[in-house]
Amino acid sequence: MSALATHPHEDLLRRAPCGLFAFSAEGTLVAVNDTLLEMLDQAREDVLGQPVSTLLTLASRMFYETHVFPLLQMHGRVEELSLSLRARSGESVPVLLNAVRREAGADIVHHCAVMSVRERGRYEDELLKARHEAQEALRSNEALTQARRELEAHARELDQKLSLLELRNQELTRVSTVLSQDLRDPVRQLSTFACLFTREDRLGLSLTGQRSLERIKTVSARLEQLVVGLHQFMALDSLEEPLEEVELLETVGDARQWVAEMGAGRVTALRCEALPIVQGRRRQLMMLFYHLLDNAVKFHKPGEAPRIDIRCQLLQQNSFRSIKDRYHYTDFARITVTDQGLGIDRQYLGYVFEVLRKLDADSPGLGVGLAICRKVVENHQGSISVESEPGEGTRFTLLLPLRQRVASRGEVSQDDPAPACPPAEEPTVAKG
């Protein structure tokens, strides 16, 4: 280390915490300290006398030729320039370079100090990574904030629509009540006056008059039933009936008795498995089973007694039915109501649950009962489907959640745990 060896603190320079070297005006290395030799895994005798460019990588050589050396010539010094040295193994060693140009008599010597910045690169990478993560977090937070704003806006819009819907439902219910009362009174009077005709009165009529009178009685009775059915259907939009624990087996028994009292016929053969207790609206659930039993009675095969089989299975069902890729499984009761009646042609299965859509104009049904069934299960966040073959009977499948919760504004969800269900029992026959 000829140029540095004249310094009084030679040992300090040889083992300085940075690499030191010097090169002449011709670019020949004339001195190098131990620290730089260790940094590059080089021997002093292999380095001294060689061009300074041999210490540099190919890219840094070009930078040296175009920037470093011209700056030293013009300004006499350079500071904090990034370069890469080349170790014996060929490995690149990133460094920061400070250099000054000295005149020693007629000679010119360039003194250089290099500081390894390997760790600095790692720290810079970590800083860049942390900055990137912070920016991503900020964007996520902004996206979350935006999503929350949009959700709140949608909630306000939904609240306004719900308010409007509730108002319209109330108006429809009031109109339905008024119309049903206004229609039922004249229809009832028509039926009453027709029934006032005594046997002698009817004998005084012509054959056409007698037939017309009987027709008036039949039509007026049917019209009254239709008005009552439509009023029941419209009234289901009002959810004023409170939720309560409902024993479905007892409800089926009450519905069976109701069918007999309404004169549609008796359910003489009803086989019913143990049914669970569900949280629901008692009156609506009884209407559901009433219309299913009534449908089986009305459409049983001629000469055969109505036979109905009710089975139940508890299962887990996804409560999301419209939103894709969302899952929330809750306990449901899958109840099948099967009869051995006339059955339904497949072409009609698509609209059997639509109101006033009768399969046959001469059939005893009004076209309201199954529509009421669908509305009841929908009010309980359930579903209903039908399978049937002509002459083979009909099977209705109900999916009813065991537990419901009123979230807000009458909205119903099934987030609460299901209540205890009665243990499975042997098939029983509902009372009635």
Side-chain angles (χ1 to χ4, degrees):
M1 192 171 183
S2 59
L4 299 174
T6 58
H7 197 282
H9 304 289
E10 181 179 355
D11 186 63
L12 174 62
L13 295 177
R14 292 174 67 93
R15 301 181 184 280
C18 63
L20 300 175
F21 63 95
F23 64 92
S24 65
E26 292 77 20
T28 303
L29 286 167
V30 295
V32 59
N33 73 344
D34 292 349
T35 303
L36 182 63
L37 293 174
E38 292 175 2
M39 188 186 301
L40 303 180
D41 191 24
Q42 295 278 12
R44 180 170 283 101
E45 58 272 22
D46 294 335
V47 173
L48 293 179
Q50 298 296 322
V52 65
S53 59
T54 59
L55 297 180
L56 305 174
T57 62
L58 178 60
S60 292
R61 288 178 193 172
M62 297 175 64
F63 186 70
Y64 166 78
E65 297 290 345
T66 57
H67 290 78
V68 179
F69 193 74
L71 288 173
L72 283 173
Q73 295 300 314
M74 287 189 296
H75 303 293
R77 67 173 53 241
V78 295
E79 294 179 350
E80 298 184 7
L81 294 181
S82 294
L83 291 174
S84 294
L85 303 183
R86 187 172 65 87
R88 178 191 293 272
S89 62
E91 179 188 5
S92 176
V93 181
V95 296
L96 281 180
L97 169 69
N98 283 354
V100 294
R101 185 168 179 268
R102 301 294 188 191
E103 293 182 1
D107 297 329
I108 295 177
V109 178
H110 301 89
H111 292 178
C112 303
V114 292
M115 180 73 72
S116 175
V117 291
R118 284 174 172 167
E119 293 301 315
R120 175 182 171 178
R122 185 169 64 84
Y123 295 149
E124 287 178 347
D125 291 342
E126 291 180 355
L127 285 174
L128 289 174
K129 182 180 178 181
R131 180 182 178 184
H132 178 71
E133 291 175 351
Q135 290 174 339
E136 288 296 323
L138 181 60
R139 278 195 289 269
S140 299
N141 186 54
E142 291 175 349
L144 185 62
T145 302
Q146 180 64 24
R148 187 182 296 112
R149 291 196 189 107
E150 293 177 357
L151 185 61
E152 290 175 354
H154 290 164
R156 287 193 295 271
E157 183 180 358
L158 181 62
D159 182 74
Q160 294 173 354
K161 290 182 178 178
L162 283 174
S163 299
L164 183 60
L165 185 61
E166 287 181 359
L167 181 61
R168 289 180 177 173
N169 278 339
Q170 292 173 1
E171 292 175 350
L172 285 174
T173 302
R174 284 196 296 271
V175 170
S176 170
T177 303
V178 172
L179 285 178
S180 65
Q181 291 175 350
D182 290 348
L183 286 175
R184 288 182 67 182
D185 286 342
V187 170
R188 188 181 297 112
Q189 291 176 16
L190 184 63
S191 178
T192 301
F193 286 127
C195 292
L196 288 178
F197 276 76
T198 63
R199 178 180 178 81
E200 290 73 16
D201 294 332
R202 289 196 294 271
L203 291 176
L205 296 174
S206 64
L207 183 58
T208 302
Q210 293 180 26
R211 289 177 178 173
S212 298
L213 181 61
E214 291 301 319
R215 184 65 177 168
I216 290 173
K217 290 169 62 177
T218 302
V219 171
S220 59
R222 188 175 180 80
L223 183 57
E224 184 177 5
Q225 292 175 3
L226 180 59
V227 171
V228 171
L230 287 175
H231 177 63
Q232 290 177 346
F233 180 78
M234 296 297 296
L236 291 175
D237 289 328
S238 173
L239 301 180
E240 294 178 354
E241 184 182 1
L243 293 171
E244 58 181 312
E245 303 295 324
V246 180
E247 294 189 15
L248 290 184
L249 188 61
E250 180 181 342
T251 303
V252 171
D254 293 340
R256 180 184 185 182
Q257 185 175 355
W258 191 12
V259 171
E261 292 174 355
M262 295 301 291
R266 293 187 62 83
V267 182
T268 55
L270 173 61
R271 186 173 183 269
C272 184
E273 289 185 343
L275 299 178
I277 299 173
V278 303
Q279 192 176 39
R281 297 175 175 85
R282 183 181 301 278
R283 185 181 64 84
Q284 291 194 17
L285 290 173
M286 192 172 76
M287 291 175 62
L288 166 65
F289 286 103
Y290 163 77
H291 285 291
L292 291 177
L293 299 183
D294 182 65
N295 188 77
V297 170
K298 285 179 178 174
F299 298 100
H300 70 276
K301 293 178 181 175
E304 295 183 10
R307 293 171 53 194
I308 302 172
D309 189 16
I310 300 179
R311 297 181 180 275
C312 179
Q313 178 185 8
L314 300 183
L315 47 78
Q316 291 270 310
Q317 183 78 10
N318 186 11
S319 58
F320 285 98
R321 290 182 295 172
S322 301
I323 303 177
K324 295 181 179 179
D325 301 327
R326 293 293 302 275
Y327 302 96
H328 182 258
Y329 286 90
T330 55
D331 292 328
F332 275 72
R334 181 179 183 274
I335 301 172
T336 59
V337 181
T338 307
D339 64 53
Q340 307 297 324
L342 297 174
I344 306 171
D345 195 299
R346 287 189 175 184
Q347 63 177 318
Y348 302 123
L349 295 180
Y351 57 80
V352 294
F353 296 110
E354 295 182 12
V355 65
L356 300 180
R357 289 293 298 270
K358 294 181 58 175
L359 308 186
D360 183 355
D362 298 327
S363 67
L366 299 172
V368 179
L370 293 182
I372 289 177
C373 292
R374 186 181 68 175
K375 184 166 283 193
V376 169
V377 295
E378 288 177 348
N379 285 347
H380 289 77
Q381 300 300 296
S383 65
I384 183 171
S385 59
V386 60
E387 304 169 74
S388 185
E389 289 289 344
E392 301 295 332
T394 303
R395 172 182 294 171
F396 293 95
T397 301
L398 313 174
L399 278 175
L400 290 174
L402 299 187
R403 188 79 176 170
Q404 306 205 13
R405 186 186 66 182
V406 178
S408 63
R409 302 183 65 88
E411 182 184 356
V412 178
S413 62
Q414 301 93 39
D415 293 333
D416 290 345
C421 300
E425 298 176 357
E426 293 297 324
T428 57
V429 177
K431 68 179 183 179

